Amino acid sequence: MRRLWLRMVEIYGQLWTDKYGDDWETGAGQTWAKGLAGLADTEIGRGVAACVTRGTPWAPSLPEFRLLCMGIPSKARVAFELKQGDRSPFTCMVLARLDSHAYRASGAKDAERLLRDAYELAVEARMSGEPLPEPRLALPETVKTEPKPADPETVKAHLAEIGKYLGVSK
């Protein structure tokens, strides 16, 4: 917790200390410790990295930081990924809770509502400990080959067999 507190002071400076205090061992620091309990160091590291890259000048709240730690992007990011096709594991989690047919067939207002509902369900599931889905493997590219005609004897034998099956004889 001490390391996290120092990092957040390095990132946000006085904005952090004004909001949460200097001492990570008392007050807000204890609340943050309880709120982040159970998260791995790598997850907390992901949250710190997200604080740097997300570009907002204000310090996150504990729930916001926990979302960042758990790899939960913004709803706007999820909507963008749904359109682009390159989907993060969390967007796949949202997609599993989205009626994609209704989403594609609806107007903007209804599509927004469907996405919001699916996003909220996925956030609840992730915050409750449901793991992110494993990345799906891409299908191998098909190898295009030129068609090769069958030899005449094979064709003749197959046609004869089909003729017997159909009751047609030559």
Side-chain angles (χ1 to χ4, degrees):
M1 200 62 208
R2 181 181 67 77
R3 214 168 58 202
L4 171 62
W5 219 255
L6 291 172
R7 283 278 186 238
M8 298 306 253
V9 170
E10 289 171 354
I11 296 168
Y12 298 107
Q14 191 170 349
L15 291 173
W16 180 264
T17 55
D18 285 351
K19 191 171 183 178
Y20 298 115
D22 292 331
D23 189 0
W24 62 274
E25 293 182 292
T26 60
Q30 291 303 301
T31 302
W32 275 65
K34 288 176 186 171
L36 299 178
L39 294 180
D41 289 345
T42 55
E43 291 174 308
I44 292 174
R46 179 180 9 195
V48 171
C51 286
V52 173
T53 59
R54 72 183 185 147
T56 56
W58 59 87
S61 66
L62 175 56
E64 288 171 330
F65 185 74
R66 190 170 167 85
L67 289 172
L68 296 173
C69 290
M70 298 184 81
I72 300 175
S74 67
K75 191 171 54 126
R77 175 47 132 180
V78 169
F80 177 77
E81 288 180 7
L82 285 173
K83 289 177 188 168
Q84 297 303 311
D86 187 21
R87 298 179 181 131
S88 67
F90 184 77
T91 297
C92 292
M93 190 178 229
V94 171
L95 192 54
R97 289 161 173 80
L98 180 66
D99 180 344
S100 54
H101 174 71
Y103 179 71
R104 287 190 307 270
S106 352
K109 190 174 184 178
D110 287 335
E112 169 63 26
R113 181 188 50 78
L114 289 167
L115 178 58
R116 182 191 65 239
D117 292 349
Y119 179 84
E120 289 174 5
L121 288 171
V123 168
E124 284 177 21
R126 182 71 181 115
M127 294 296 273
S128 296
E130 186 176 317
L132 291 171
E134 293 293 322
R136 294 184 182 184
L137 298 175
L139 294 174
E141 287 190 38
T142 55
V143 178
K144 293 184 180 183
T145 58
E146 290 296 317
K148 184 170 88 176
D151 74 78
E153 289 303 314
T154 303
V155 172
K156 189 176 181 180
H158 284 291
L159 287 175
E161 192 173 323
I162 291 169
K164 283 183 202 174
Y165 179 74
L166 295 174
V168 178
S169 56
K170 276 195 167 183

mmCIF file with all atom_site columns, all heavy atoms in Angstrom, residues 120-141:
data_model
loop_
_atom_site.group_PDB
_atom_site.id
_atom_site.type_symbol
_atom_site.label_atom_id
_atom_site.label_alt_id
_atom_site.label_comp_id
_atom_site.label_asym_id
_atom_site.label_entity_id
_atom_site.label_seq_id
_atom_site.pdbx_PDB_ins_code
_atom_site.Cartn_x
_atom_site.Cartn_y
_atom_site.Cartn_z
_atom_site.occupancy
_atom_site.B_iso_or_equiv
_atom_site.pdbx_formal_charge
_atom_site.auth_seq_id
_atom_site.auth_comp_id
_atom_site.auth_asym_id
_atom_site.auth_atom_id
_atom_site.pdbx_PDB_model_num
ATOM 1   N N   . GLU A 1 120 ? -23.071 -2.667  -17.778 1.00 0.00 ? 120 GLU A N   1
ATOM 2   C CA  . GLU A 1 120 ? -23.263 -2.691  -16.323 1.00 0.00 ? 120 GLU A CA  1
ATOM 3   C C   . GLU A 1 120 ? -23.264 -4.118  -15.774 1.00 0.00 ? 120 GLU A C   1
ATOM 4   O O   . GLU A 1 120 ? -22.694 -4.384  -14.714 1.00 0.00 ? 120 GLU A O   1
ATOM 5   C CB  . GLU A 1 120 ? -24.551 -1.952  -15.942 1.00 0.00 ? 120 GLU A CB  1
ATOM 6   C CG  . GLU A 1 120 ? -24.433 -0.450  -16.121 1.00 0.00 ? 120 GLU A CG  1
ATOM 7   C CD  . GLU A 1 120 ? -25.729 0.310   -15.889 1.00 0.00 ? 120 GLU A CD  1
ATOM 8   O OE1 . GLU A 1 120 ? -26.744 -0.317  -15.479 1.00 0.00 ? 120 GLU A OE1 1
ATOM 9   O OE2 . GLU A 1 120 ? -25.747 1.528   -16.118 1.00 0.00 ? 120 GLU A OE2 1
ATOM 10  N N   . LEU A 1 121 ? -23.874 -5.040  -16.502 1.00 0.00 ? 121 LEU A N   1
ATOM 11  C CA  . LEU A 1 121 ? -23.867 -6.440  -16.074 1.00 0.00 ? 121 LEU A CA  1
ATOM 12  C C   . LEU A 1 121 ? -22.440 -7.003  -16.076 1.00 0.00 ? 121 LEU A C   1
ATOM 13  O O   . LEU A 1 121 ? -22.051 -7.736  -15.165 1.00 0.00 ? 121 LEU A O   1
ATOM 14  C CB  . LEU A 1 121 ? -24.763 -7.290  -16.980 1.00 0.00 ? 121 LEU A CB  1
ATOM 15  C CG  . LEU A 1 121 ? -26.270 -7.076  -16.822 1.00 0.00 ? 121 LEU A CG  1
ATOM 16  C CD1 . LEU A 1 121 ? -27.023 -7.810  -17.932 1.00 0.00 ? 121 LEU A CD1 1
ATOM 17  C CD2 . LEU A 1 121 ? -26.731 -7.554  -15.451 1.00 0.00 ? 121 LEU A CD2 1
ATOM 18  N N   . ALA A 1 122 ? -21.670 -6.658  -17.096 1.00 0.00 ? 122 ALA A N   1
ATOM 19  C CA  . ALA A 1 122 ? -20.289 -7.135  -17.180 1.00 0.00 ? 122 ALA A CA  1
ATOM 20  C C   . ALA A 1 122 ? -19.431 -6.517  -16.075 1.00 0.00 ? 122 ALA A C   1
ATOM 21  O O   . ALA A 1 122 ? -18.591 -7.201  -15.484 1.00 0.00 ? 122 ALA A O   1
ATOM 22  C CB  . ALA A 1 122 ? -19.705 -6.828  -18.557 1.00 0.00 ? 122 ALA A CB  1
ATOM 23  N N   . VAL A 1 123 ? -19.642 -5.232  -15.782 1.00 0.00 ? 123 VAL A N   1
ATOM 24  C CA  . VAL A 1 123 ? -18.900 -4.586  -14.692 1.00 0.00 ? 123 VAL A CA  1
ATOM 25  C C   . VAL A 1 123 ? -19.208 -5.289  -13.369 1.00 0.00 ? 123 VAL A C   1
ATOM 26  O O   . VAL A 1 123 ? -18.298 -5.618  -12.602 1.00 0.00 ? 123 VAL A O   1
ATOM 27  C CB  . VAL A 1 123 ? -19.218 -3.072  -14.593 1.00 0.00 ? 123 VAL A CB  1
ATOM 28  C CG1 . VAL A 1 123 ? -18.693 -2.472  -13.292 1.00 0.00 ? 123 VAL A CG1 1
ATOM 29  C CG2 . VAL A 1 123 ? -18.624 -2.328  -15.786 1.00 0.00 ? 123 VAL A CG2 1
ATOM 30  N N   . GLU A 1 124 ? -20.490 -5.530  -13.101 1.00 0.00 ? 124 GLU A N   1
ATOM 31  C CA  . GLU A 1 124 ? -20.876 -6.227  -11.863 1.00 0.00 ? 124 GLU A CA  1
ATOM 32  C C   . GLU A 1 124 ? -20.211 -7.591  -11.782 1.00 0.00 ? 124 GLU A C   1
ATOM 33  O O   . GLU A 1 124 ? -19.691 -7.976  -10.731 1.00 0.00 ? 124 GLU A O   1
ATOM 34  C CB  . GLU A 1 124 ? -22.400 -6.402  -11.799 1.00 0.00 ? 124 GLU A CB  1
ATOM 35  C CG  . GLU A 1 124 ? -23.158 -5.154  -11.448 1.00 0.00 ? 124 GLU A CG  1
ATOM 36  C CD  . GLU A 1 124 ? -24.672 -5.382  -11.466 1.00 0.00 ? 124 GLU A CD  1
ATOM 37  O OE1 . GLU A 1 124 ? -25.120 -6.553  -11.348 1.00 0.00 ? 124 GLU A OE1 1
ATOM 38  O OE2 . GLU A 1 124 ? -25.400 -4.393  -11.604 1.00 0.00 ? 124 GLU A OE2 1
ATOM 39  N N   . ALA A 1 125 ? -20.232 -8.328  -12.883 1.00 0.00 ? 125 ALA A N   1
ATOM 40  C CA  . ALA A 1 125 ? -19.646 -9.672  -12.890 1.00 0.00 ? 125 ALA A CA  1
ATOM 41  C C   . ALA A 1 125 ? -18.143 -9.609  -12.637 1.00 0.00 ? 125 ALA A C   1
ATOM 42  O O   . ALA A 1 125 ? -17.605 -10.369 -11.834 1.00 0.00 ? 125 ALA A O   1
ATOM 43  C CB  . ALA A 1 125 ? -19.932 -10.357 -14.228 1.00 0.00 ? 125 ALA A CB  1
ATOM 44  N N   . ARG A 1 126 ? -17.477 -8.674  -13.300 1.00 0.00 ? 126 ARG A N   1
ATOM 45  C CA  . ARG A 1 126 ? -16.022 -8.560  -13.146 1.00 0.00 ? 126 ARG A CA  1
ATOM 46  C C   . ARG A 1 126 ? -15.663 -8.114  -11.739 1.00 0.00 ? 126 ARG A C   1
ATOM 47  O O   . ARG A 1 126 ? -14.734 -8.640  -11.130 1.00 0.00 ? 126 ARG A O   1
ATOM 48  C CB  . ARG A 1 126 ? -15.471 -7.569  -14.186 1.00 0.00 ? 126 ARG A CB  1
ATOM 49  C CG  . ARG A 1 126 ? -13.978 -7.414  -14.157 1.00 0.00 ? 126 ARG A CG  1
ATOM 50  C CD  . ARG A 1 126 ? -13.279 -8.647  -14.685 1.00 0.00 ? 126 ARG A CD  1
ATOM 51  N NE  . ARG A 1 126 ? -11.848 -8.455  -14.619 1.00 0.00 ? 126 ARG A NE  1
ATOM 52  C CZ  . ARG A 1 126 ? -11.032 -9.170  -13.856 1.00 0.00 ? 126 ARG A CZ  1
ATOM 53  N NH1 . ARG A 1 126 ? -11.491 -10.163 -13.137 1.00 0.00 ? 126 ARG A NH1 1
ATOM 54  N NH2 . ARG A 1 126 ? -9.749  -8.908  -13.830 1.00 0.00 ? 126 ARG A NH2 1
ATOM 55  N N   . MET A 1 127 ? -16.393 -7.131  -11.212 1.00 0.00 ? 127 MET A N   1
ATOM 56  C CA  . MET A 1 127 ? -16.115 -6.633  -9.865  1.00 0.00 ? 127 MET A CA  1
ATOM 57  C C   . MET A 1 127 ? -16.407 -7.705  -8.811  1.00 0.00 ? 127 MET A C   1
ATOM 58  O O   . MET A 1 127 ? -15.839 -7.674  -7.735  1.00 0.00 ? 127 MET A O   1
ATOM 59  C CB  . MET A 1 127 ? -16.924 -5.373  -9.576  1.00 0.00 ? 127 MET A CB  1
ATOM 60  C CG  . MET A 1 127 ? -16.536 -4.179  -10.438 1.00 0.00 ? 127 MET A CG  1
ATOM 61  S SD  . MET A 1 127 ? -14.873 -3.602  -10.160 1.00 0.00 ? 127 MET A SD  1
ATOM 62  C CE  . MET A 1 127 ? -15.147 -2.479  -8.822  1.00 0.00 ? 127 MET A CE  1
ATOM 63  N N   . SER A 1 128 ? -17.268 -8.660  -9.131  1.00 0.00 ? 128 SER A N   1
ATOM 64  C CA  . SER A 1 128 ? -17.571 -9.755  -8.213  1.00 0.00 ? 128 SER A CA  1
ATOM 65  C C   . SER A 1 128 ? -16.569 -10.896 -8.337  1.00 0.00 ? 128 SER A C   1
ATOM 66  O O   . SER A 1 128 ? -16.703 -11.903 -7.653  1.00 0.00 ? 128 SER A O   1
ATOM 67  C CB  . SER A 1 128 ? -18.974 -10.299 -8.487  1.00 0.00 ? 128 SER A CB  1
ATOM 68  O OG  . SER A 1 128 ? -19.926 -9.303  -8.231  1.00 0.00 ? 128 SER A OG  1
ATOM 69  N N   . GLY A 1 129 ? -15.609 -10.739 -9.236  1.00 0.00 ? 129 GLY A N   1
ATOM 70  C CA  . GLY A 1 129 ? -14.552 -11.734 -9.338  1.00 0.00 ? 129 GLY A CA  1
ATOM 71  C C   . GLY A 1 129 ? -14.587 -12.624 -10.556 1.00 0.00 ? 129 GLY A C   1
ATOM 72  O O   . GLY A 1 129 ? -13.730 -13.493 -10.709 1.00 0.00 ? 129 GLY A O   1
ATOM 73  N N   . GLU A 1 130 ? -15.569 -12.449 -11.441 1.00 0.00 ? 130 GLU A N   1
ATOM 74  C CA  . GLU A 1 130 ? -15.578 -13.267 -12.653 1.00 0.00 ? 130 GLU A CA  1
ATOM 75  C C   . GLU A 1 130 ? -14.346 -12.925 -13.486 1.00 0.00 ? 130 GLU A C   1
ATOM 76  O O   . GLU A 1 130 ? -14.061 -11.754 -13.731 1.00 0.00 ? 130 GLU A O   1
ATOM 77  C CB  . GLU A 1 130 ? -16.845 -13.008 -13.470 1.00 0.00 ? 130 GLU A CB  1
ATOM 78  C CG  . GLU A 1 130 ? -16.985 -13.921 -14.669 1.00 0.00 ? 130 GLU A CG  1
ATOM 79  C CD  . GLU A 1 130 ? -18.294 -13.717 -15.416 1.00 0.00 ? 130 GLU A CD  1
ATOM 80  O OE1 . GLU A 1 130 ? -19.351 -13.585 -14.764 1.00 0.00 ? 130 GLU A OE1 1
ATOM 81  O OE2 . GLU A 1 130 ? -18.251 -13.684 -16.664 1.00 0.00 ? 130 GLU A OE2 1
ATOM 82  N N   . PRO A 1 131 ? -13.595 -13.937 -13.909 1.00 0.00 ? 131 PRO A N   1
ATOM 83  C CA  . PRO A 1 131 ? -12.379 -13.641 -14.671 1.00 0.00 ? 131 PRO A CA  1
ATOM 84  C C   . PRO A 1 131 ? -12.697 -13.146 -16.078 1.00 0.00 ? 131 PRO A C   1
ATOM 85  O O   . PRO A 1 131 ? -13.763 -13.439 -16.621 1.00 0.00 ? 131 PRO A O   1
ATOM 86  C CB  . PRO A 1 131 ? -11.647 -14.988 -14.728 1.00 0.00 ? 131 PRO A CB  1
ATOM 87  C CG  . PRO A 1 131 ? -12.716 -16.016 -14.527 1.00 0.00 ? 131 PRO A CG  1
ATOM 88  C CD  . PRO A 1 131 ? -13.780 -15.362 -13.683 1.00 0.00 ? 131 PRO A CD  1
ATOM 89  N N   . LEU A 1 132 ? -11.765 -12.403 -16.628 1.00 0.00 ? 132 LEU A N   1
ATOM 90  C CA  . LEU A 1 132 ? -11.905 -11.979 -18.015 1.00 0.00 ? 132 LEU A CA  1
ATOM 91  C C   . LEU A 1 132 ? -11.798 -13.211 -18.905 1.00 0.00 ? 132 LEU A C   1
ATOM 92  O O   . LEU A 1 132 ? -11.047 -14.140 -18.595 1.00 0.00 ? 132 LEU A O   1
ATOM 93  C CB  . LEU A 1 132 ? -10.805 -10.977 -18.388 1.00 0.00 ? 132 LEU A CB  1
ATOM 94  C CG  . LEU A 1 132 ? -10.907 -9.607  -17.725 1.00 0.00 ? 132 LEU A CG  1
ATOM 95  C CD1 . LEU A 1 132 ? -9.647  -8.799  -18.002 1.00 0.00 ? 132 LEU A CD1 1
ATOM 96  C CD2 . LEU A 1 132 ? -12.130 -8.851  -18.212 1.00 0.00 ? 132 LEU A CD2 1
ATOM 97  N N   . PRO A 1 133 ? -12.539 -13.235 -20.011 1.00 0.00 ? 133 PRO A N   1
ATOM 98  C CA  . PRO A 1 133 ? -12.447 -14.405 -20.892 1.00 0.00 ? 133 PRO A CA  1
ATOM 99  C C   . PRO A 1 133 ? -11.068 -14.494 -21.540 1.00 0.00 ? 133 PRO A C   1
ATOM 100 O O   . PRO A 1 133 ? -10.393 -13.481 -21.741 1.00 0.00 ? 133 PRO A O   1
ATOM 101 C CB  . PRO A 1 133 ? -13.542 -14.153 -21.937 1.00 0.00 ? 133 PRO A CB  1
ATOM 102 C CG  . PRO A 1 133 ? -13.875 -12.719 -21.850 1.00 0.00 ? 133 PRO A CG  1
ATOM 103 C CD  . PRO A 1 133 ? -13.487 -12.240 -20.485 1.00 0.00 ? 133 PRO A CD  1
ATOM 104 N N   . GLU A 1 134 ? -10.672 -15.715 -21.842 1.00 0.00 ? 134 GLU A N   1
ATOM 105 C CA  . GLU A 1 134 ? -9.403  -15.932 -22.535 1.00 0.00 ? 134 GLU A CA  1
ATOM 106 C C   . GLU A 1 134 ? -9.516  -15.380 -23.950 1.00 0.00 ? 134 GLU A C   1
ATOM 107 O O   . GLU A 1 134 ? -10.584 -15.452 -24.564 1.00 0.00 ? 134 GLU A O   1
ATOM 108 C CB  . GLU A 1 134 ? -9.087  -17.425 -22.606 1.00 0.00 ? 134 GLU A CB  1
ATOM 109 C CG  . GLU A 1 134 ? -8.804  -18.053 -21.257 1.00 0.00 ? 134 GLU A CG  1
ATOM 110 C CD  . GLU A 1 134 ? -7.515  -17.539 -20.637 1.00 0.00 ? 134 GLU A CD  1
ATOM 111 O OE1 . GLU A 1 134 ? -6.533  -17.331 -21.370 1.00 0.00 ? 134 GLU A OE1 1
ATOM 112 O OE2 . GLU A 1 134 ? -7.494  -17.330 -19.409 1.00 0.00 ? 134 GLU A OE2 1
ATOM 113 N N   . PRO A 1 135 ? -8.413  -14.834 -24.471 1.00 0.00 ? 135 PRO A N   1
ATOM 114 C CA  . PRO A 1 135 ? -8.462  -14.353 -25.862 1.00 0.00 ? 135 PRO A CA  1
ATOM 115 C C   . PRO A 1 135 ? -8.769  -15.521 -26.801 1.00 0.00 ? 135 PRO A C   1
ATOM 116 O O   . PRO A 1 135 ? -8.298  -16.631 -26.589 1.00 0.00 ? 135 PRO A O   1
ATOM 117 C CB  . PRO A 1 135 ? -7.054  -13.810 -26.116 1.00 0.00 ? 135 PRO A CB  1
ATOM 118 C CG  . PRO A 1 135 ? -6.376  -13.769 -24.805 1.00 0.00 ? 135 PRO A CG  1
ATOM 119 C CD  . PRO A 1 135 ? -7.126  -14.640 -23.859 1.00 0.00 ? 135 PRO A CD  1
ATOM 120 N N   . ARG A 1 136 ? -9.573  -15.242 -27.783 1.00 0.00 ? 136 ARG A N   1
ATOM 121 C CA  . ARG A 1 136 ? -9.907  -16.279 -28.758 1.00 0.00 ? 136 ARG A CA  1
ATOM 122 C C   . ARG A 1 136 ? -8.802  -16.377 -29.784 1.00 0.00 ? 136 ARG A C   1
ATOM 123 O O   . ARG A 1 136 ? -8.246  -15.365 -30.206 1.00 0.00 ? 136 ARG A O   1
ATOM 124 C CB  . ARG A 1 136 ? -11.216 -15.949 -29.455 1.00 0.00 ? 136 ARG A CB  1
ATOM 125 C CG  . ARG A 1 136 ? -12.380 -16.000 -28.513 1.00 0.00 ? 136 ARG A CG  1
ATOM 126 C CD  . ARG A 1 136 ? -13.660 -15.773 -29.233 1.00 0.00 ? 136 ARG A CD  1
ATOM 127 N NE  . ARG A 1 136 ? -14.750 -15.791 -28.276 1.00 0.00 ? 136 ARG A NE  1
ATOM 128 C CZ  . ARG A 1 136 ? -16.001 -15.692 -28.627 1.00 0.00 ? 136 ARG A CZ  1
ATOM 129 N NH1 . ARG A 1 136 ? -16.329 -15.575 -29.886 1.00 0.00 ? 136 ARG A NH1 1
ATOM 130 N NH2 . ARG A 1 136 ? -16.938 -15.720 -27.716 1.00 0.00 ? 136 ARG A NH2 1
ATOM 131 N N   . LEU A 1 137 ? -8.523  -17.592 -30.177 1.00 0.00 ? 137 LEU A N   1
ATOM 132 C CA  . LEU A 1 137 ? -7.515  -17.795 -31.213 1.00 0.00 ? 137 LEU A CA  1
ATOM 133 C C   . LEU A 1 137 ? -8.139  -17.474 -32.562 1.00 0.00 ? 137 LEU A C   1
ATOM 134 O O   . LEU A 1 137 ? -9.298  -17.797 -32.816 1.00 0.00 ? 137 LEU A O   1
ATOM 135 C CB  . LEU A 1 137 ? -7.025  -19.239 -31.202 1.00 0.00 ? 137 LEU A CB  1
ATOM 136 C CG  . LEU A 1 137 ? -6.337  -19.686 -29.916 1.00 0.00 ? 137 LEU A CG  1
ATOM 137 C CD1 . LEU A 1 137 ? -6.005  -21.175 -30.005 1.00 0.00 ? 137 LEU A CD1 1
ATOM 138 C CD2 . LEU A 1 137 ? -5.071  -18.885 -29.690 1.00 0.00 ? 137 LEU A CD2 1
ATOM 139 N N   . ALA A 1 138 ? -7.360  -16.841 -33.397 1.00 0.00 ? 138 ALA A N   1
ATOM 140 C CA  . ALA A 1 138 ? -7.841  -16.527 -34.736 1.00 0.00 ? 138 ALA A CA  1
ATOM 141 C C   . ALA A 1 138 ? -7.884  -17.810 -35.560 1.00 0.00 ? 138 ALA A C   1
ATOM 142 O O   . ALA A 1 138 ? -7.062  -18.709 -35.382 1.00 0.00 ? 138 ALA A O   1
ATOM 143 C CB  . ALA A 1 138 ? -6.922  -15.503 -35.399 1.00 0.00 ? 138 ALA A CB  1
ATOM 144 N N   . LEU A 1 139 ? -8.855  -17.895 -36.433 1.00 0.00 ? 139 LEU A N   1
ATOM 145 C CA  . LEU A 1 139 ? -8.915  -19.034 -37.329 1.00 0.00 ? 139 LEU A CA  1
ATOM 146 C C   . LEU A 1 139 ? -7.757  -18.953 -38.315 1.00 0.00 ? 139 LEU A C   1
ATOM 147 O O   . LEU A 1 139 ? -7.390  -17.860 -38.753 1.00 0.00 ? 139 LEU A O   1
ATOM 148 C CB  . LEU A 1 139 ? -10.243 -19.042 -38.088 1.00 0.00 ? 139 LEU A CB  1
ATOM 149 C CG  . LEU A 1 139 ? -11.489 -19.265 -37.236 1.00 0.00 ? 139 LEU A CG  1
ATOM 150 C CD1 . LEU A 1 139 ? -12.730 -19.106 -38.094 1.00 0.00 ? 139 LEU A CD1 1
ATOM 151 C CD2 . LEU A 1 139 ? -11.462 -20.643 -36.613 1.00 0.00 ? 139 LEU A CD2 1
ATOM 152 N N   . PRO A 1 140 ? -7.187  -20.090 -38.670 1.00 0.00 ? 140 PRO A N   1
ATOM 153 C CA  . PRO A 1 140 ? -6.090  -20.030 -39.641 1.00 0.00 ? 140 PRO A CA  1
ATOM 154 C C   . PRO A 1 140 ? -6.615  -19.571 -40.988 1.00 0.00 ? 140 PRO A C   1
ATOM 155 O O   . PRO A 1 140 ? -7.777  -19.814 -41.328 1.00 0.00 ? 140 PRO A O   1
ATOM 156 C CB  . PRO A 1 140 ? -5.590  -21.478 -39.703 1.00 0.00 ? 140 PRO A CB  1
ATOM 157 C CG  . PRO A 1 140 ? -6.713  -22.307 -39.174 1.00 0.00 ? 140 PRO A CG  1
ATOM 158 C CD  . PRO A 1 140 ? -7.489  -21.431 -38.248 1.00 0.00 ? 140 PRO A CD  1
ATOM 159 N N   . GLU A 1 141 ? -5.773  -18.893 -41.702 1.00 0.00 ? 141 GLU A N   1
ATOM 160 C CA  . GLU A 1 141 ? -6.174  -18.441 -43.023 1.00 0.00 ? 141 GLU A CA  1
ATOM 161 C C   . GLU A 1 141 ? -6.356  -19.660 -43.917 1.00 0.00 ? 141 GLU A C   1
ATOM 162 O O   . GLU A 1 141 ? -5.610  -20.632 -43.832 1.00 0.00 ? 141 GLU A O   1
ATOM 163 C CB  . GLU A 1 141 ? -5.105  -17.517 -43.619 1.00 0.00 ? 141 GLU A CB  1
ATOM 164 C CG  . GLU A 1 141 ? -5.091  -16.155 -42.964 1.00 0.00 ? 141 GLU A CG  1
ATOM 165 C CD  . GLU A 1 141 ? -4.199  -15.192 -43.731 1.00 0.00 ? 141 GLU A CD  1
ATOM 166 O OE1 . GLU A 1 141 ? -4.178  -15.245 -44.979 1.00 0.00 ? 141 GLU A OE1 1
ATOM 167 O OE2 . GLU A 1 141 ? -3.542  -14.392 -43.070 1.00 0.00 ? 141 GLU A OE2 1
#
